[in-house]
């Protein structure tokens, strides 16, 4: 006998975290793609099925209204979840409504639930009486990992948590933020959002640039004899780090067109040097320019940045 999902009332499935959703009949949802053969026998499908049974639906399906047929909805993301709901006999599901038909964007956006949302889902599931063992089995995690996610926001400023709730910050990032005071956590969260950088390396850099009086009390005095950077050094490090992130982003956005311009310029210089009269004039009047032009013309390719020596 199929086990019924927890907290189900009249065929309606409930979620592990609080958000505003639109409740839609499962029968009114039309998938935009067909599942590949064997999908229902896959490990991923089994995990989705067992997760719904144990703790409810973790990630909401994303749908878009069919403008031609009122009451019909196109499924943009969550095809395995929809199949699992049908198998469990669930008649309604709460969905996230998409504003446009951008399947790629929404797949990218909801493919992985943010850690803070995952934390809230686990907290709510435990509040409903679901054991950590059942949650671990449903999510295919170790019990210790579930408990760590449960304690994710301990020592984290509520303001910083709210700022980072929809970001991909890993648990290690929160471990680093926990070493700072609440005010500094908010500043660090603002810097990470401003630079769109939520990596552990960036968080460690912010931690290194944090003055002693902005560290959590439990972390003070544990420098191990290492010299504490001065206020000027910290400020300079923060400015240089922010400037570097901005420069990298700028290069990423303009590299392709810059490469094209340089390739065209190299071709033009090579064409000029094929004219003997131009070469003779440069040799007589601008020998330095001639040498540099020859170096440019001899470049075989302007390969990708990653292939540049020392990059």
């Amino acid at each position: 006998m199929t086990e019924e999902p927890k907290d189900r009332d009249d065929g309606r499935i409930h979620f592990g975290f609080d958000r505003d959703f639109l409740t839609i009949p499962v029968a009114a949802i039309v998938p935009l793609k067909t599942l590949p053969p064997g999908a229902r026998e896959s490990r991923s499908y089994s995990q989705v099925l067992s997760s719904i049974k144990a703790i409810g639906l973790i990630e909401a399906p994303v749908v878009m209204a069919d403008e031609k047929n009122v009451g019909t909805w196109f499924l943009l993301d969550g095809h395995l979840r929809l199949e699992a709901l049908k198998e469990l006999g669930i008649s309604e599901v709460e969905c996230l409504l998409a504003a446009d038909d951008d399947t790629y964007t929404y797949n990218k956006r909801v493919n992985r639930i943010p850690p803070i949302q995952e934390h809230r889902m686990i907290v709510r599931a435990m509040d409903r009486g679901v054991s950590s063992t059942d949650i671990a089995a449903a999510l295919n995690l170790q019990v210790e990992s579930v408990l760590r996610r449960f304690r994710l926001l301990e020592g984290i400023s509520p303001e910083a948590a709210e700022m980072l709730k929809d970001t991909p910050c890993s648990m290690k990032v929160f471990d680093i933020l926990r070493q700072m005071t609440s005010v500094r956590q908010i500043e660090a969260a603002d810097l990470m959002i401003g630079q769109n950088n939520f990596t552990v390396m960036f968080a460690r850099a912010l931690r290194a640039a944090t003055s002693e009086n902005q560290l959590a009390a439990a972390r003070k005095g544990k420098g191990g004899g290492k010299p504490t950077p001065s206020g000027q050094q910290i400020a300079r490090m923060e400015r240089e780090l922010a400037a570097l992130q901005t420069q990298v982003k700028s290069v990423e956005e303009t590299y392709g067109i810059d490469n094209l311009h340089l390739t065209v310029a190299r071709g033009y210089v090579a064409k000029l040097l094929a004219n003997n009269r131009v070469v003779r004039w440069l040799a007589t009047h601008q020998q330095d320019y001639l040498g540099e032009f020859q170096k440019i013309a001899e470049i075989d390719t302007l390969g990708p940045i990653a292939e540049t020596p020392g990059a």
Side-chain angles (χ1 to χ4, degrees):
M1 180 180 294
T2 302
E3 181 183 353
E4 293 296 319
K6 296 185 183 297
D7 271 11
R8 261 183 49 191
D9 298 316
D10 301 326
R12 178 179 175 183
I13 193 72
H14 291 270
F15 290 83
F17 53 88
D18 292 321
R19 290 185 64 179
D20 294 327
F21 295 102
L22 181 65
T23 301
I24 299 174
V26 171
I29 302 176
V30 180
L32 288 182
K33 67 179 181 180
T34 304
L35 291 178
R40 293 172 65 91
E41 290 75 35
S42 67
R43 181 180 178 185
S44 296
Y45 182 78
S46 298
Q47 289 178 347
V48 170
L49 199 64
S50 61
S51 174
I52 294 175
K53 290 178 182 178
I55 59 177
L57 197 57
I58 300 174
E59 296 180 76
V62 180
V63 298
M64 178 183 176
D66 182 357
E67 297 180 355
K68 297 181 179 179
N69 299 298
V70 179
T72 301
W73 307 83
F74 292 124
L75 181 65
L76 301 182
D77 180 81
H79 291 75
L80 281 181
R81 280 164 271 165
L82 183 65
E83 285 299 313
L85 293 172
K86 290 179 180 178
E87 181 172 332
L88 292 171
I90 297 169
S91 60
E92 291 183 332
V93 61
E94 291 175 327
C95 299
L96 179 63
L97 182 61
D100 51 55
D101 186 10
D102 192 347
T103 307
Y104 172 77
T105 299
Y106 278 95
N107 279 337
K108 183 177 180 182
R109 185 176 302 166
V110 303
N111 186 47
R112 182 69 176 91
I113 184 172
I116 290 183
Q117 299 287 19
E118 186 179 48
H119 155 80
R120 291 174 177 173
M121 174 273 296
I122 292 174
V123 169
R124 182 172 178 182
M126 287 188 172
D127 289 342
R128 298 203 314 261
V130 183
S131 69
S132 58
T133 303
D134 289 340
I135 296 175
L139 299 180
N140 195 29
L141 296 171
Q142 296 293 327
V143 175
E144 294 78 7
S145 182
V146 170
L147 293 176
R148 188 180 177 197
R149 285 167 167 79
F150 177 78
R151 297 189 294 265
L152 180 70
L153 297 184
E154 290 184 1
I156 300 297
S157 162
E159 292 81 1
E162 179 65 20
M163 294 170 68
L164 299 173
K165 67 178 182 179
D166 294 320
T167 66
C169 284
S170 68
M171 288 190 291
K172 290 184 178 180
V173 170
F174 288 101
D175 289 340
I176 297 171
L177 291 176
R178 204 171 285 115
Q179 300 173 20
M180 309 175 190
T181 62
S182 296
V183 173
R184 180 56 177 167
Q185 288 176 15
I186 296 172
E187 293 176 353
D190 187 55
L191 285 170
M192 286 189 287
I193 293 171
Q195 297 299 321
N196 194 30
N197 189 336
F198 306 98
T199 63
V200 174
M201 183 177 296
F202 189 63
R204 286 174 178 167
L206 294 175
R207 163 64 177 82
T210 301
S211 60
E212 187 72 14
N213 62 356
Q214 289 183 306
L215 294 178
R219 301 296 303 176
K220 292 180 180 179
K222 294 186 178 181
K226 296 181 180 179
T228 302
S230 66
Q232 290 183 341
Q233 290 174 324
I234 292 172
R236 179 181 177 184
M237 184 183 300
E238 290 180 332
R239 289 195 302 270
E240 291 180 350
L241 191 58
L244 179 60
Q245 291 292 323
T246 302
Q247 291 172 6
V248 170
K249 188 68 175 178
S250 175
V251 170
E252 289 177 348
E253 294 175 350
T254 62
Y255 173 72
I257 190 66
D258 289 345
N259 190 293
L260 176 61
H261 289 164
L262 290 173
T263 300
V264 172
R266 180 185 62 82
Y268 178 72
V269 170
K271 185 176 180 180
L272 282 179
L273 295 182
N275 188 317
N276 292 331
R277 294 178 61 186
V278 172
V279 173
R280 285 197 300 269
W281 187 92
L282 289 172
T284 302
H285 300 91
Q286 299 289 348
Q287 292 185 0
D288 293 341
Y289 285 5
L290 177 60
E292 295 302 319
F293 286 160
Q294 288 174 336
K295 292 178 182 179
I296 294 173
E298 291 170 0
I299 297 175
D300 293 328
T301 181
L302 298 172
I305 292 177
E307 297 177 1
T308 303

